[in-house]
Amino acid sequence: MQQQEWKIGAHKVRYEPPDVVVATFSGNISLEEIQRAVEVYGEVAKHGPYYMIAEIGQSQLGAEPRRYLSENGKADWFKGSIYVGADVVQQTFGKVIALGMLFTGKTRFETTFVKTLPEARAWVEQHRLKQLKKSG
């Protein structure tokens, strides 16, 4: 799959080959917007699992969209999820969402929180190396 970008309201989702999705959210995220984002996540996952980097520091996700994401996102889609810029409340919700997805899937993935996008990319590279060592 080649690099691709989707605009969803004020938010954007970008696939970066070979296995990274960067989702940047700004402001309130509506139910319709999270439904479209989950649809995009599923489309990308048809090409294999990937690392989800979610820039959420400038966003808010209400109860209904949060529940939708938890119930409709699939653990099997992800190699790992990295939240960028999350405050304490967002970190709590991020963990709850990941837990909800783990109940729907056959695989497990790591969830971590970092302050910046470069830190997120470094985490992905470190995780890839760990996985190579495990399989090699």
Side-chain angles (χ1 to χ4, degrees):
M1 185 172 173
Q2 295 180 344
Q3 183 163 324
Q4 202 167 347
E5 188 166 302
W6 298 263
K7 189 134 175 59
I8 305 169
H11 324 291
K12 66 181 173 189
V13 177
R14 184 177 62 252
Y15 171 74
E16 300 174 356
D19 61 354
V20 174
V21 169
V22 179
T24 305
F25 295 98
S26 299
N28 286 325
I29 306 166
S30 71
L31 178 60
E32 294 77 20
E33 290 167 337
I34 206 65
Q35 287 170 332
R36 178 64 181 128
V38 168
E39 187 179 299
V40 168
Y41 301 161
E43 286 175 29
V44 174
K46 290 177 185 173
H47 302 277
Y50 54 87
Y51 293 97
M52 166 56 75
I53 298 175
E55 294 183 279
I56 62 169
Q58 303 299 315
S59 69
Q60 296 85 39
L61 186 63
E64 194 175 5
R66 195 169 44 246
R67 186 171 31 260
Y68 183 89
L69 178 57
S70 177
E71 292 173 357
N72 294 280
K74 306 287 184 244
D76 306 354
W77 296 347
F78 306 107
K79 294 180 178 182
S81 62
I82 308 93
Y83 291 96
V84 179
D87 62 25
V88 174
V89 172
Q90 289 171 319
Q91 288 182 26
T92 301
F93 289 137
K95 290 174 186 173
V96 169
I97 290 166
L99 187 60
M101 282 190 229
L102 290 174
F103 288 129
T104 67
K106 298 176 211 84
T107 59
R108 299 184 64 79
F109 62 93
E110 289 184 57
T111 299
T112 193
F113 300 90
V114 298
K115 292 186 186 331
T116 68
L117 189 56
E119 287 178 88
R121 292 187 184 282
W123 186 93
V124 167
E125 291 306 317
Q126 291 169 351
H127 193 267
R128 278 189 185 129
L129 287 174
K130 264 198 289 188
Q131 297 310 307
L132 275 176
K133 288 178 183 174
K134 280 184 184 177
S135 64

